[in-house]
């Protein structure tokens, strides 16, 4: 073990210990009931909501994947910025809507919400299982991401297998005890580290290799101009139509994605969510950094086999060991925080939507224990899959957003659509998933330049509308969304 | 239901800003030349769009009857104005 490895591993270890300590400290003097654990007692202010939502959107994909994507496919990587920004405009409306509904009826997750809207616990259970299938791959992706980071910054001293286990242990350690509030506190540490390290690397890389950004972009334009527009150098499919349809779909899906909903429901009031929609988009500026670094890697280290290593290949042998340790800690936390929230959301959905197993309607402590058990099991399954079938789940993760998209009619629209019945919603869901999965399996995603999930959603909506026409439901007012009470505006506003 | 929710909230039209910038405009700006401050046009456009997104949402918010003036929010959730079952 060389001296550099000791230094960078030491710094990473320090931050991981701090993470667990911070996560555990977050819930001192807090009640030990289900609502406190699953949605932070619906009491988080703007700052905690902001760091949590930012923390969820900035995953290990942003660190490794975005740089890797721009390395291989060019600027289309920025579809992430497009859908998150448009998504913020959507959440300005959908966040408060979901918050108010959940608050009024005492709900903790989207499966809970579906069960309540259709007065059918079974519908809630179906959504819980369905969502789990599409979120589990994300948990595994985070474990894999963390493994790559730790193995790289330890200069190969720590093996991938050990690093996977480390990701699992650290995230479970705080989320089991501290739930959503703990995740938000850890997010604060993570966001600080991410901003700091990206700014340092952002300045340092171009100066070190090119003498500045101007030179980097001039050289890109001269020799690699295909990287700077859609569809990019490698895949004709990633054209303008793909960019627009994917960003539009993901923007809407973002606002019902189970982990975003956990963030919404943790807020103290709908006003917090509106404020968050105004300030969070600034955070997306950070996503330009890994994309630019992907470009730098194209020029400096072309021909890598694993594009996800583009960013770290660029900095491993040129940054001092201690700084590499800090960058590694930021990247590791970018895996750990989203992973913890993903697992927590699965635990919450199963508990609340399967009350027979989940400790019954009344016993909050039993509910919480069951949710913790599911959260642990989720991590164990994802870890086992990482070791045994590393590729199966990663393939499924491509489907994640497109799959969750098919829940749109039954979750968000159902609160606005009085005549939508459970049968119509389920028919739409089945058709939407079938269309999407078929297209993906046939290798027809995108189809004619349009995201297959969007095509599936169109089929889904059409089916739901047709069944609704044949057999409309008459949902009582109290199960639909209600306008928020309005306060008179103060003078001068 | 939707009509009730949106009644009297015309400023929310500003929420169409980000989709116009990030989606509708893409076919027009998907090119390298002309460069802006040394940046290829498409990248410069996306940075501009990212910077303009918060102002768009802020313009929607500030005339929204549901927006509470000021950024200070009452601690006990009284600002939500809701009678919730789990508070």
């Amino acid at each position: 073990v060389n001296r550099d490895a000791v230094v960078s591993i030491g710094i990473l270890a320090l931050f991981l210990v701090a993470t667990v300590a911070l996560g555990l400290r977050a819930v001192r003097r807090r009640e030990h009931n289900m609502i406190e654990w699953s949605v932070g007692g619906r009491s988080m202010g703007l700052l905690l909501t902001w760091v949590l939502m930012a923390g969820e959107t900035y995953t290990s994909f942003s660190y490794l994947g975005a740089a890797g994507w721009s390395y291989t496919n060019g600027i289309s990587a920025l579809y992430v910025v497009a859908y998150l920004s448009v998504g913020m405009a959507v959440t300005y409306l959908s966040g408060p809507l979901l918050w108010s509904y959940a608050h009024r009826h005492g709900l903790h997750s989207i499966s809970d919400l579906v069960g309540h809207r259709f007065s059918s616990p079974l519908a809630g259970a179906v959504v819980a299982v369905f969502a789990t299938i599409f979120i589990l791959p994300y948990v595994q992706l985070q474990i894999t991401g963390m493994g790559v980071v730790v193995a790289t910054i330890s200069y190969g001293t720590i093996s991938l297998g050990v690093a996977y286990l480390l990701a699992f242990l650290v995230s479970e350690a705080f989320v089991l005890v501290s739930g959503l509030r703990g995740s938000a506190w850890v997010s604060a540490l993570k966001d600080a580290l991410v901003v700091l390290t990206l700014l340092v690397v952002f300045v340092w890389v171009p100066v070190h290799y090119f003498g500045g950004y101007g030179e980097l972009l001039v050289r890109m334009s001269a020799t690699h101009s295909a990287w700077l527009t859609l569809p990019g150098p490698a895949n004709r499919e990633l054209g303008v139509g793909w960019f627009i349809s994917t960003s539009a779909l993901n923007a809407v899906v973002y606002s019902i994605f189970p982990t975003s909903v956990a963030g919404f429901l943790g807020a103290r009031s709908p006003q917090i969510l509106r404020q968050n929609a105004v300030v969070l988009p600034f955070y997306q500026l950070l996503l330009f950094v890994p994309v630019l670094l992907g470009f730098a890697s194209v020029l400096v280290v072309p021909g890598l086999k694993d594009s996800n290593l583009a960013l770290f290949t660029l900095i491993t042998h040129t940054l001092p060991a201690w700084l590499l340790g800090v960058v590694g800690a930021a990247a590791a936390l970018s895996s750990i925080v989203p992973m913890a929230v993903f697992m927590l959301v699965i635990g919450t959905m199963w508990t609340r939507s399967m009350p027979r197993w989940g400790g019954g309607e009344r016993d909050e402590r039993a509910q919480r224990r069951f949710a913790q058990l599911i959260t642990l099991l989720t991590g164990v399954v994802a870890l086992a899959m990482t070791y045994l079938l590393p590729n199966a789940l990663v393939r499924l993760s491509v489907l994640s957003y497109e799959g969750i998209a098919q829940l749109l009619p039954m979750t968000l629209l159902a609160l606005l659509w009085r005549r939508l019945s459970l049968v119509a919603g389920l028919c739409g869901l089945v058709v939407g998933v079938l269309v999407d999965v078929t297209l993906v399996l046939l290798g027809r995603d995108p189809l004619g330049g349009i995201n297959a999930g969007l095509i599936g959603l169109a089929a889904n909506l059409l089916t739901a509308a047709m069944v609704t026409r044949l057999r409309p439901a008459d949902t009582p007012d109290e199960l639909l969304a209600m306008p928020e009470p309005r306060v008179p505006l103060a003078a001068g506003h | 239901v939707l009509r009730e929710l949106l009644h009297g909230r015309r400023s929310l039209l500003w929420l169409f800003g980000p989709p116009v910038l990030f989606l509708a405009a893409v076919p027009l700006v998907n090119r390298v030349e002309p460069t802006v401050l040394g940046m290829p046009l498409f990248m410069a456009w996306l940075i501009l769009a990212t910077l303009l997104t918060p102002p768009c949402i802020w313009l929607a918010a500030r005339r929204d009857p549901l927006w509470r003036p000021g950024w200070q929010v009452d601690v006990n959730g009284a600002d939500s104005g809701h009678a919730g079952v789990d508070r």
Side-chain angles (χ1 to χ4, degrees), chain A residues 35 41-43 46 75-76 78 81-83 85-86 88-90 92-93 97 99-108 214 217-218 221 225 228-231 240 243-245 247-248 268-272 274-282 284-285 288 291-292 295 415-418 480-490 493, chain B residues 1-9 11-12 14-20 22-27 29-33 35 37-55 57-87:
Chain A
I35 188 169
R42 296 200 213 289
S43 62
L46 178 60
I75 200 162
S76 60
L78 287 173
V81 175
Y83 89 71
S85 297
V86 178
M88 284 304 136
V90 179
Y92 181 88
L93 290 171
L97 183 87
W99 188 96
S100 302
Y101 192 81
H103 185 56
R104 193 145 47 88
H105 301 290
L107 309 171
H108 295 210
L217 289 170
V218 166
S221 307
S225 65
L228 301 175
T229 53
L230 304 172
V240 171
F243 186 91
I244 295 175
S245 61
S247 303
R268 192 195 295 140
S269 75
Q271 174 69 3
I272 299 280
R274 284 189 277 268
Q275 292 171 347
N276 187 57
V278 175
V279 292
L280 190 54
F282 281 123
Q284 313 314 339
L285 282 175
F288 285 86
V291 171
L292 281 165
F295 291 163
L415 302 185
L416 306 169
W417 189 355
R418 185 185 301 277
L480 296 169
M482 263 181 213
E484 281 174 49
R486 298 182 184 192
V487 288
L489 286 181
H493 279 275
Chain B
V1 184
L2 193 61
R3 201 175 308 141
E4 255 176 75
L5 287 171
L6 296 178
H7 175 74
R9 301 171 74 184
S11 70
L12 295 189
W14 280 107
L15 293 181
F16 283 105
V20 168
F22 276 106
L23 308 180
V26 168
V29 292
N30 181 30
R31 43 198 285 181
V32 178
E33 302 284 339
T35 55
L37 301 174
M39 282 183 285
L41 182 69
F42 190 42
M43 175 182 285
W45 176 263
L46 290 176
I47 291 177
L48 180 75
T50 308
L51 288 173
L52 287 179
T53 293
I57 302 180
W58 167 240
L59 284 169
R62 65 185 285 265
R63 297 216 175 270
D64 182 357
L66 287 180
W67 179 263
R68 308 294 189 276
W71 290 74
Q72 287 298 315
V73 178
D74 179 37
V75 178
N76 292 317
D79 56 299
S80 71
H82 281 263
V85 296
D86 60 9
R87 187 82 240 159

Side-chain angles (χ1 to χ4, degrees), chain A residues 227-307:
Chain A
W227 267 258
L228 301 175
T229 53
L230 304 172
N235 187 349
R236 301 297 311 166
E237 304 264 285
L238 300 176
V240 171
W242 170 86
F243 186 91
I244 295 175
S245 61
T246 304
S247 303
L249 180 74
N250 286 12
V252 183
V253 176
Y254 170 72
S255 76
I256 61 150
F257 208 78
T259 49
S260 327
V261 174
F264 295 157
L265 301 191
R268 192 195 295 140
S269 75
Q271 174 69 3
I272 299 280
L273 297 176
R274 284 189 277 268
Q275 292 171 347
N276 187 57
V278 175
V279 292
L280 190 54
F282 281 123
Y283 201 83
Q284 313 314 339
L285 282 175
L286 280 185
L287 277 165
F288 285 86
V289 177
V291 171
L292 281 165
L293 295 179
F295 291 163
S297 312
V298 173
L299 296 173
V300 178
V301 284
L304 287 180
K305 235 184 267 160
D306 183 356
S307 67

Side-chain angles (χ1 to χ4, degrees), chain A residues 354-488:
Chain A
M354 297 167 195
R356 199 176 303 164
W357 303 334
E361 298 281 343
R362 299 261 162 238
D363 188 349
E364 289 256 329
R365 277 178 171 263
Q367 281 190 14
R368 181 180 159 121
R369 273 198 304 276
F370 184 75
Q372 288 163 330
L373 177 70
I374 294 290
T375 301
L376 184 64
L377 281 179
T378 305
V380 171
V381 171
L383 186 66
M385 297 283 277
T386 314
Y387 287 126
L388 301 175
L389 302 163
N391 294 321
L393 278 181
V394 172
R395 243 176 263 140
L396 197 57
S397 78
V398 176
L399 268 169
S400 271
Y401 254 77
E402 299 181 4
I404 298 286
Q406 309 308 327
L407 288 175
L408 206 58
M410 289 188 76
T411 51
L412 197 57
L413 288 184
L415 302 185
L416 306 169
W417 189 355
R418 185 185 301 277
R419 285 146 53 93
L420 183 71
S421 68
L422 177 58
V423 178
L426 285 177
C427 288
L429 179 66
V430 170
V431 170
V433 171
L434 281 180
V435 168
D436 182 38
V437 171
T438 310
L439 286 174
V440 171
L441 289 181
L442 290 177
R444 290 304 179 101
D445 180 18
L447 179 69
I450 304 291
N451 182 306
L454 194 63
I455 297 171
L457 182 60
N460 180 342
L461 282 171
L462 202 66
T463 311
M466 282 193 318
V467 179
T468 297
R469 224 186 135 80
L470 295 175
R471 303 190 60 180
D474 187 20
T475 312
D477 275 338
E478 66 264 22
L479 292 182
L480 296 169
M482 263 181 213
E484 281 174 49
R486 298 182 184 192
V487 288

Side-chain angles (χ1 to χ4, degrees), chain A residues 115-136:
Chain A
H116 188 81
R117 159 64 177 81
F118 294 101
S119 310
S120 160
L122 184 66
V126 168
V127 170
V129 173
F130 182 85
T132 302
I133 294 172
F134 287 102
I135 299 176
L136 205 55

